[in-house]
Amino acid sequence: MSQTLAALAAALPLASGWSIHSLRMRRRIEAARRDPLTGLWTRDPFEERACKSLAEGQQRAVYVVDLNWFKQINDTFGHAAGDAVIRATGQRFGEWTEDNAGIAGRLGGDEFAAITPVDGNTATVTDNLHSKLADLLDRLEQPVEFEGQDIDVYASIGAARYWRAGTADLSALLRRADEQMYSIKQEGGGYAIAPALGSVPEFRTVNGRREGRRGATGGTGAAA
């Protein structure tokens, strides 16, 4: 018995050390999948989680967000100010998504995406989605303070929803949300909701992305 207890006592530090090492490794792996500026998921882990969310059966909405006149912010105030705006946008977007039980990611540059449940029946779900979008736009468009001055922020948001589990195509939903975002951006910003899935897209797409958007070609597409 004493030998068994002695062996267990000797093994405890090793087990504890391995547990701490495993925890650190998991944290490092997760950190590598997070955007370092905003803390949001990067594209691949966001899409993995979004696909799982779509398969759960509840109604879902997918959102694509782009900042308006972001290049002018960089040109006028400098890239440090641009980073501050991206950081604040990511934080606000992440908080809004968490408040709505969703998943958020930074796709690149000033482009973000999220997926959330959408509550309500046929008569109320659209009103609920409008309410969510109005709240998101209000949060994103608060000025960002940088070195003692306020930088105005403007955003465009596109949304697309789906309510049947197991057959939803995330890339199609992102594309349709992206189409709506681009359309409302051409009008100066705000938000827009895509028509029912299955109608004809407004813009020609390449590789599942609206033509001209990042990822539509083999190289780096121009930001819209």
Side-chain angles (χ1 to χ4, degrees):
M1 177 65 73
S2 60
Q3 291 179 338
T4 301
L5 291 175
L8 287 172
L12 282 174
L14 293 174
S16 177
W18 176 251
S19 178
I20 293 171
H21 175 72
S22 297
L23 179 61
R24 287 175 176 169
M25 287 298 294
R26 286 197 298 270
R27 287 176 176 172
R28 287 177 182 174
I29 291 170
E30 178 168 318
R33 293 163 68 82
R34 296 275 188 176
D35 171 56
L37 188 58
T38 65
L40 299 179
W41 295 112
T42 54
R43 179 186 292 272
D44 286 346
F46 164 73
E47 291 185 350
E48 290 171 9
R49 286 161 175 77
C51 285
K52 291 178 181 177
S53 178
L54 281 175
E56 290 176 0
Q58 191 177 355
Q59 295 187 80
R60 294 289 191 271
V62 171
Y63 313 83
V64 171
V65 173
D66 218 54
L67 296 181
N68 299 347
W69 308 296
F70 180 67
K71 184 178 184 299
Q72 285 87 329
I73 292 174
N74 279 328
D75 292 345
T76 302
F77 300 101
H79 288 281
D83 285 348
V85 169
I86 292 293
R87 187 180 299 109
T89 298
Q91 180 179 2
R92 295 166 179 178
F93 191 46
E95 289 173 351
W96 175 87
T97 306
E98 185 175 338
D99 289 345
N100 287 279
I103 302 159
R106 182 186 179 197
L107 303 186
D110 57 330
E111 185 181 15
F112 302 83
I115 182 170
T116 72
V118 181
D119 300 322
N121 55 35
T122 304
T124 62
V125 67
T126 300
D127 288 341
N128 289 342
L129 186 52
H130 276 287
S131 178
K132 288 179 185 291
L133 288 164
D135 177 44
L136 174 57
L137 187 65
D138 180 66
R139 295 194 198 192
L140 294 180
E141 292 195 337
Q142 297 300 313
V144 172
E145 192 277 334
F146 178 75
E147 294 185 348
Q149 59 184 329
D150 287 339
I151 300 176
D152 292 329
V153 178
Y154 301 96
S156 297
I157 311 167
R161 66 184 178 91
Y162 202 80
W163 56 92
R164 290 198 299 273
T167 59
D169 182 343
L170 178 63
S171 64
L173 289 167
L174 285 170
R175 184 186 70 233
R176 295 189 62 76
D178 186 61
E179 291 165 3
Q180 295 303 307
M181 183 281 298
Y182 181 75
S183 179
I184 202 70
K185 188 169 187 175
Q186 299 300 99
E187 298 177 12
Y191 68 83
I193 302 172
L197 192 66
S199 58
V200 178
E202 297 175 27
F203 304 99
R204 192 171 79 85
T205 58
V206 180
N207 296 333
R209 303 284 285 148
R210 175 170 50 77
E211 186 177 28
R213 294 290 284 167
R214 288 178 290 271
T217 64
T220 303

